[in-house]
Amino acid sequence: MHELGIVFYIIDDAKKAATDNGLTSVKSVTLTLGEVSGVVPELLEDAWTWACKREPMMEGCELVVEPLAAVTHCGGCGADYPTVAHGRTCPHCGSDDTYLLRGREVVLSQIEAY
Ligand SMILES: [Zn+2]
């Protein structure tokens, strides 16, 4: 399960950050989640709840998900456009010489701890 792997990775990072700062309990973790990252937020929440119960430092820790809109750049006309609405074909010039600027990120952006 993809989401569970991500959750373990986030928890490891959060625990390390808390330990490095002499903290014993993580209160909340904020995650920036790209629109086309392939991660399903509902599954992520389920995996989060399950995994945090197994980690004393993470017990009751809240997961805050900040969605990041996906944007594609067109090499044909230089425009940026929303990826989800238009896919790989530029809505301005019809070119398929395009690449994803952002939207695949799964980034731990903030940790709050005691
Ligand atoms: Zn274009």
Side-chain angles (χ1 to χ4, degrees):
M1 184 175 159
H2 187 50
E3 280 75 9
L4 194 56
I6 291 168
V7 161
F8 282 139
Y9 173 77
I10 300 166
I11 287 180
D12 273 356
D13 252 25
K15 274 166 62 186
K16 188 178 179 305
T19 308
D20 285 353
N21 290 287
L23 303 159
T24 53
S25 177
V26 182
K27 188 182 158 200
S28 82
V29 168
T30 306
L31 189 72
T32 301
L33 195 62
E35 212 174 9
V36 293
S37 62
V39 176
V40 183
E42 289 77 23
L43 294 180
L44 197 67
E45 296 268 350
D46 287 351
W48 181 258
T49 308
W50 179 85
C52 281
K53 279 185 189 144
R54 299 168 166 258
E55 296 279 354
M57 259 180 108
M58 304 298 295
E59 217 182 332
C61 181
E62 191 193 352
L63 177 68
V64 181
V65 175
E66 282 183 342
L68 178 72
V71 176
T72 294
H73 180 79
C74 172
C77 69
D80 296 338
Y81 64 88
T83 308
V84 172
H86 302 289
R88 288 199 176 131
T89 306
C90 175
H92 303 289
C93 71
S95 167
D96 57 9
D97 175 22
T98 59
Y99 66 90
L100 190 69
L101 276 183
R102 63 164 190 262
R104 234 180 238 139
E105 295 86 341
V106 181
V107 182
L108 185 58
S109 52
Q110 201 185 325
I111 297 170
E112 266 191 79
Y114 295 115

